Amino acid sequence: MQLTHEENQFERKTFPITLVCDHIYFQQNIGSLFRISEAFGVENIIFLGKDIPLTPRKINKTSRSTHLHVPHSIIEKTTDLVDYLLQNNFEIIALEIASNSKPLKEVVIPDNQKIALLIGSEIDGISDELLKISNQIVHINMFGNNSSMNVVQAASIALYEFTS
């Protein structure tokens, strides 16, 4: 029999992971990123860009109200984000297919280190500026003809790997 939200026995836990969303604007993706972040105990979400559509009415359907429970902020300028990540000693891990990326299974999560998981826009991926400051660039191995997947699906796979 399926359990209700109140009946499940999952341990409530928060991980020192900040999900950094590089110019993600699709409202369904934003809502879904809140929902998956809440499910995986993400500590914080940072949205990079101007005019990020965080109007609760527009994202509530996909977030299922998790936007009320996951701390989040907007940083408008890439330079400000870079300064924040470097000054706060994050292990910066970019989820991107790049010439120097390695498979997600090979990611090294340092002990007692805050993680910034960078995910890229639906159109352009992660900016070169952010890739340059990344400590690790990882990709998800795929076996079909397609060379990309939805940003929420990719983030979900990475968060599962990081929290397992």
Side-chain angles (χ1 to χ4, degrees):
M1 174 168 57
Q2 183 179 19
L3 298 177
T4 66
H5 293 291
E6 293 76 28
E7 294 171 329
N8 80 56
Q9 297 182 8
F10 296 122
E11 176 186 357
R12 304 292 181 237
K13 193 172 183 178
T14 301
F15 293 89
I17 299 171
T18 295
L19 183 64
V20 180
C21 305
D22 183 6
H23 291 87
I24 293 177
Y25 289 101
F26 294 178
Q27 294 170 1
Q28 296 87 345
N29 286 341
I30 291 170
S32 294
L33 287 168
F34 274 110
R35 191 168 177 185
I36 203 67
S37 293
E38 196 276 337
F40 280 110
V42 167
E43 192 170 69
N44 182 34
I45 302 174
I46 297 174
F47 293 96
L48 173 62
K50 292 185 180 192
D51 303 319
I52 304 293
L54 293 182
T55 308
R57 177 178 52 83
K58 294 180 180 180
I59 62 169
N60 191 42
K61 187 171 184 176
T62 52
S63 79
R64 305 262 319 249
S65 298
T66 54
H67 64 283
L68 302 172
H69 306 290
V70 179
H72 59 280
S73 59
I74 296 173
I75 296 178
E76 291 188 1
K77 296 180 184 175
T78 301
T79 54
D80 292 341
L81 174 64
V82 167
D83 290 344
Y84 173 79
L85 294 174
L86 294 176
Q87 289 172 6
N88 287 282
N89 299 313
F90 281 91
E91 175 73 11
I92 303 168
I93 302 172
L95 184 59
E96 184 68 86
I97 298 170
S99 60
N100 60 337
S101 62
K102 62 185 179 184
L104 178 61
K105 289 272 186 199
E106 296 176 17
V107 72
V108 177
I109 306 292
D111 291 334
N112 303 314
Q113 180 79 34
K114 295 181 295 187
I115 303 296
L117 174 60
L118 308 183
I119 58 175
S121 81
E122 298 91 346
I123 307 301
D124 300 316
I126 298 173
S127 72
D128 286 339
E129 290 172 274
L130 293 179
L131 288 175
K132 286 177 187 171
I133 66 159
S134 297
N135 303 104
Q136 301 179 66
I137 302 174
V138 298
H139 63 261
I140 298 166
N141 286 339
M142 291 181 279
F143 305 101
N145 291 323
N146 189 18
S147 65
S148 70
M149 63 177 65
N150 175 275
V151 66
V152 178
Q153 295 167 341
S156 300
I157 292 167
L159 289 171
Y160 179 80
E161 189 73 24
F162 290 7
T163 59
S164 294

